[in-house]
Amino acid sequence: MFKKGLAASLIAAVLGTSAPAFAEGTIRIVEQFGTLYTPFHVMKAQKLIEKHGQALGLDIKVDWAKLSGGSAVNDALLSGNVDVAAAGIGPFLTLWDRTRGSANEVKIIGALGAQPNYLVTNNPNVKTLKDFTKADKIALPAVGVSVQARILQMAAQQAFGPGKEKSLDDLTITLPHPDATAALLSGSTEITAHLSNAPFQDQALKDPKIHKVLSSYDVLGGPVTPTVVYSTVRFKTQNPKTYKAFFDAFREATAWVDAHKAEAAAIYVKTENSKLDPAFVTEVLSDPQVKYTLTPLGSQKFADFLAQIGAIKSRPASWKDYTFDDLHNDQGS
């Protein structure tokens, strides 16, 4: 896991700055790994933020960086080294709770689509959560705080009972999705399971030695948008045109991916320098369980769980409490 301050220094080096921008015409964005980020890749490839900025009479300089894990992303946002962050709903809610009412209050700009997260394993003896032993290690992006970690805790509470949500935490290890997938497929490391996302979970399941233990959709009772894009209220207030250009570009890219999955897959492969077959990525993007939408789905269930276990102090009354009003006419949850 990133040590305190390390994420900020790393991202400052990538972006070439260590001070907040807060100036119209500049936006710094951090992303992570997976096909959920395909709208971001399309925004980059088609220069959509720049296009929408020009429509508003503004030339926008866009900087992109990549980190793994919500803790690292949150550190980068709070340190002022990025303006727009993307991470799991769990890390976001933790930061929202921490910053409510402050100058750094954060809110969701939009979701990166609904997509299941699978817990996959190479251990043939593991059919349910109750089959894991101390010999198993479960990889996820950030122990205890990532969206995958929270999904595992929710599943553990369902399997083992109230107060038992951290029953499997001692088995978890922090690893970026690409590294976790490679370790799982190799079968030669201590990693025997991975709470993953697409396309990594789909890639793993192509191997007959890998099988699925559970889906986040099973745990949450339906579709959920596991990853969200957020910023500070201050950034939006001080940069209304830049914010609008980003939001409009994000909305256009999301709709474009939905309508052009093969082209979007090709962009993903090129942007990520991936060795995956574009046809395979097209198949992943076309999964009927995937929904391309900016509207948060199932986020309130995460908020209720985090409040219940004491991970956040404030239980939001509605998903609208932690989202910007651009989304409030949508049917979110």
Side-chain angles (χ1 to χ4, degrees), residues 44-98:
K44 278 187 275 188
Q46 299 182 359
K47 296 189 178 300
L48 295 183
I49 300 173
E50 294 89 339
K51 183 188 81 169
H52 284 280
Q54 290 170 0
L56 296 170
L58 190 67
D59 289 325
I60 298 180
K61 180 179 184 294
V62 183
D63 288 317
W64 297 86
K66 181 172 287 187
L67 290 172
S68 178
S71 295
V73 170
N74 283 348
D75 284 348
L77 184 64
L78 282 183
S79 67
N81 286 292
V82 298
D83 306 306
V84 172
I89 184 64
F92 162 75
L93 286 167
T94 302
L95 188 60
W96 168 80
D97 182 62
R98 177 180 168 188

Side-chain angles (χ1 to χ4, degrees), residues 129-148:
L129 293 189
K130 294 182 178 181
D131 297 324
F132 283 109
T133 72
K134 292 181 179 179
D136 293 295
K137 294 297 179 184
I138 305 169
L140 37 74
V143 168
V145 296
S146 66
V147 66
Q148 287 81 9

Side-chain angles (χ1 to χ4, degrees), residues 113-117 215-226 289-291:
Q115 186 180 89
N117 294 96
S215 165
S216 59
Y217 281 16
D218 299 331
V219 177
L220 283 118
V224 59
T225 49
Q289 295 186 94
V290 176
K291 180 179 180 180

Side-chain angles (χ1 to χ4, degrees), residues 131-257:
D131 297 324
F132 283 109
T133 72
K134 292 181 179 179
D136 293 295
K137 294 297 179 184
I138 305 169
L140 37 74
V143 168
V145 296
S146 66
V147 66
Q148 287 81 9
R150 297 304 188 187
I151 290 167
L152 185 63
Q153 289 174 353
M154 295 170 82
Q157 187 183 81
Q158 292 172 12
F160 301 111
K164 302 292 186 180
E165 58 275 351
K166 295 185 178 181
S167 296
L168 299 175
D169 279 16
D170 288 346
L171 304 184
T172 59
I173 290 180
T174 295
L175 271 184
H177 288 309
D179 297 340
T181 302
L184 188 69
L185 288 170
S186 75
S188 60
T189 74
E190 62 182 346
I191 304 300
T192 60
H194 178 203
L195 221 168
S196 189
N197 73 356
F200 306 105
Q201 58 198 22
D202 307 86
Q203 179 186 4
L205 287 170
K206 291 289 185 181
D207 189 315
K209 297 189 298 294
I210 309 296
H211 67 273
K212 181 172 67 174
V213 179
L214 60 78
S215 165
S216 59
Y217 281 16
D218 299 331
V219 177
L220 283 118
V224 59
T225 49
T227 306
V228 294
V229 178
Y230 49 102
S231 185
T232 62
V233 173
R234 179 170 59 176
F235 177 77
K236 182 183 181 184
T237 301
Q238 295 184 359
N239 303 270
K241 288 185 177 180
T242 304
Y243 177 90
K244 178 173 173 51
F246 175 83
F247 179 79
D248 290 346
F250 188 16
R251 181 168 52 191
E252 179 179 343
T254 299
W256 191 89
V257 171

